[in-house]
Amino acid sequence: MKFFALLLSSVALIGAAPPPAQVPSEPYARLRQIVAPVSGAEMKKTVAKLVSFGTRHTLSSQTDPKRGIGAALNWTETRFKSFGLPTIRPCDTVTGRRVPNPTRVCDMVAIQAGTERPNDVVIIQGHIDSRVTDVMNFTSDAPGANDDGSGTAAVIEAARVLSKHKFPGTIVYAALSGEEQGLLGGKILADYAKAQGWNVVTVLNNDIIGNSCGADGLCDDTHVRVLSEGPRSQGQDELAAQTHSLGGENDAPSRNISRFLDGLADHLNIGLDVRQIWRTDRFGRGGDHIPFLELGFPAARLSVAVENYNWQHQDLRTENGVVYGDTIDHMDFNYLEKVAKLNFAALAAIASAPPPPEPKAEGAVSTDTTLTWNPVPGAVAYQVRWRRTDANQWQESRRFANCISVIIPKPGLAPGKAASGQVCQVVLPHARVDDWVFGVSSVSKDGFESPVASAVPGGAFKPYIAPKKP
Ligand SMILES: [Zn+2]
């Protein structure tokens, strides 16, 4: 590519010769190794156990040792503890449209603290509660094998497999309650994360990830859908005018999580590709990533390629020869294993990499684009990526070693503040800011790359803060 060659020839550096970026080329090999023990058979045992609680409806018994949501949460706690992980049980007393009487709603959460950046958090979650046709029916058997025993089993399997490793960042494993009654458990955990001051880099919400055929006979066991919001739900009023002028409709952090998962799947060789769905959730429906989005935390939902609507939210019955109900025999555990592997590789990669920076792009009425960002602790290099405004995935990229050496002086630009190491700056000659979307990711010493943060309004992996009015 012509302008890329020009870019290379124009690289100049301030100060001493830069050290080469110390980045082994095999992070994907390590991720494949980490997720190799992930077991569909193990998750089948977990789903069978979850089903054995009869119903896990949020309004079911919290004290019965064998049946109901309380028993299911307690059993999940025992599993987490058996992996040597500390647990918490964030709760809230809720009354609402689907909770007629004040009810204690609790999540069961295990925390694997990061060894270097414990406040940088990546969350995997599924909802442990279940339902039948009538969302208020808390007595009938509601196996919830796939919705969302599959996501809960993946959360427990993630804890089993990843707790054997150490990561610089923190991994949170969450079984959420109250999803079917109005995304209650998601809100409880999002509020808890905010109260703790966690820097939530990514939330992977797994809801219905364990079947591969629809009621119409359409089957697909080689794709998983990743659903991500476009314009971010937070700060919309303030962001709208900027976005209208500068773009960024496709560059909320959640969308870059979607791109990250898509790129990761291509390197794992597990027979699974990502179908990026560019909407917050399925048409007219919701999930537990939404309360996180509302607080400004980056989050995406993973769900099967083909849903089977006869096998979710249904009373167990057979009508005119059609079998209804969310039972374990409808599930595909080989498929669930693949979706779990993609999840866990993403958790391991994101917990291994520093969070992405917050780049800004400038270059109006200029032949060049200038990207500027503050250094991220722990990053030894940055990957600058860019794509055409109508492309769905990053097309061009260039890795730069740490900030002192990435600085490319543009004629006439005072390099002083950059030389102090306070600011990273890259000038991309002949790249018109009008025609591309730019982004930057952080790279760890062992080569793990964070998701990309786009240099657009609202692109930062942080809750949006409106600029102060003068
Ligand atoms: Zn669900």
Side-chain angles (χ1 to χ4, degrees):
M1 188 165 198
K2 193 175 170 204
F3 101 85
F4 196 74
L6 285 167
L7 168 67
L8 284 170
S9 67
S10 70
V11 169
L13 302 160
I14 290 176
Q22 296 295 315
V23 279
S25 58
E26 286 301 300
Y28 292 117
R30 283 191 50 195
L31 294 175
R32 284 194 290 269
Q33 195 178 38
I34 287 171
V35 304
V38 174
S39 163
E42 191 70 30
M43 288 185 281
K44 186 171 187 177
K45 281 195 265 174
T46 300
V47 172
K49 182 67 189 179
L50 290 169
V51 170
S52 78
F53 295 109
T55 177
R56 306 186 306 278
H57 195 282
T58 302
L59 306 181
S60 65
S61 173
Q62 302 195 16
T63 52
D64 188 308
K66 291 210 168 104
R67 184 178 176 88
I69 185 72
L73 286 167
N74 290 342
W75 177 79
T76 303
E77 180 177 27
T78 306
R79 290 295 287 154
F80 284 153
K81 282 195 176 357
S82 76
F83 309 134
L85 295 172
T87 60
I88 54 170
R89 194 185 287 242
C91 300
D92 195 10
T93 301
V94 179
T95 318
R97 193 165 57 88
R98 293 178 171 183
V99 186
N101 304 309
T103 303
R104 194 91 173 134
V105 177
C106 297
D107 299 331
M108 176 42 60
V109 180
I111 298 177
Q112 183 174 348
T115 54
E116 293 172 28
R117 296 183 298 275
N119 203 49
D120 294 336
V121 173
V122 56
I123 299 174
I124 181 171
Q125 62 184 30
H127 71 85
I128 195 167
D129 63 307
S130 63
R131 62 169 285 188
V132 288
T133 304
D134 173 5
V135 70
M136 302 306 294
N137 176 347
F138 60 88
T139 54
S140 294
D141 277 350
N146 193 22
D147 184 11
D148 185 26
S150 61
T152 304
V155 167
I156 293 171
E157 181 70 352
R160 185 182 76 84
V161 170
L162 297 180
S163 61
K164 297 190 169 79
H165 301 268
K166 289 199 183 329
F167 299 97
T170 292
I171 303 178
V172 167
Y173 309 93
L176 305 176
S177 189
E179 197 269 353
E180 308 289 7
Q181 310 311 115
L183 313 181
L184 306 176
K187 180 160 177 16
I188 288 167
L189 185 59
D191 287 343
Y192 183 86
K194 186 178 177 182
Q196 298 296 311
W198 287 352
N199 180 38
V200 179
V201 181
T202 293
V203 178
L204 299 178
N205 183 43
N206 283 272
D207 196 349
I208 309 180
I209 57 169
N211 76 279
S212 51
C213 290
D216 57 356
L218 181 68
C219 293
D220 183 348
D221 65 358
T222 60
H223 290 88
V224 61
R225 291 180 298 169
V226 175
L227 299 109
S228 63
E229 70 174 8
R232 59 192 297 169
S233 22
Q234 208 211 16
Q236 272 200 42
D237 294 345
E238 300 92 337
L239 276 174
Q242 294 180 63
T243 303
H244 195 250
S245 165
L246 301 174
E249 304 88 342
N250 285 325
D251 284 83
S254 307
R255 186 124 315 155
N256 277 326
I257 292 170
S258 173
R259 292 190 180 99
F260 179 85
L261 289 166
D262 185 31
L264 180 59
D266 294 340
H267 287 95
L268 289 180
N269 306 328
I270 53 173
L272 187 74
D273 202 358
V274 166
R275 181 169 297 139
Q276 297 194 62
I277 305 291
W278 284 5
R279 46 172 61 115
T280 305
D281 207 319
R282 291 110 0 113
F283 208 79
R285 303 173 74 191
D288 277 325
H289 52 307
I290 292 174
F292 285 87
L293 295 172
E294 287 169 348
L295 292 187
F297 295 131
R301 176 189 183 130
L302 290 91
S303 205
V304 294
V306 185
E307 275 181 76
N308 189 313
Y309 311 109
N310 292 345
W311 299 343
Q312 49 179 260
H313 299 188
Q314 295 283 349
D315 293 333
L316 302 175
R317 66 196 193 278
T318 301
E319 249 173 45
N320 303 322
V322 179
V323 177
Y324 293 88
D326 188 357
T327 51
I328 193 166
D329 55 308
H330 293 146
M331 291 179 64
D332 177 343
F333 286 93
N334 290 329
Y335 176 75
L336 176 57
E337 182 179 297
K338 293 195 283 186
V339 178
K341 283 180 173 173
L342 174 62
N343 267 278
F344 305 175
L347 294 172
I350 296 171
S352 297
E358 299 178 41
K360 293 195 170 39
E362 290 171 286
V365 211
S366 167
T367 58
D368 309 338
T369 292
T370 301
L371 296 173
T372 310
W373 65 92
N374 290 325
V376 176
V380 302
Y382 299 92
Q383 195 82 22
V384 174
R385 296 183 181 275
W386 58 106
R387 66 177 204 278
R388 292 292 183 188
T389 59
D390 64 341
N392 73 343
Q393 188 53 284
W394 302 107
Q395 296 170 305
E396 306 291 337
S397 85
R398 180 85 203 280
R399 184 167 291 191
F400 295 92
N402 65 41
C403 279
I404 296 299
S405 57
V406 301
I407 294 151
I408 304 171
K410 184 180 170 184
L413 188 82
K417 64 173 181 178
S420 75
Q422 295 302 306
V423 176
C424 305
Q425 193 174 68
V426 174
V427 178
L428 303 174
H430 314 290
R432 269 73 171 170
V433 74
D434 298 346
D435 300 350
W436 301 90
V437 181
F438 299 90
V440 184
S441 65
S442 299
V443 181
S444 73
K445 59 183 182 305
D446 38 9
F448 289 100
E449 187 187 341
S450 74
V452 175
S454 297
V456 296
F461 275 58
K462 293 262 169 70
Y464 179 76
I465 299 168
K468 285 201 181 79
K469 295 213 169 75

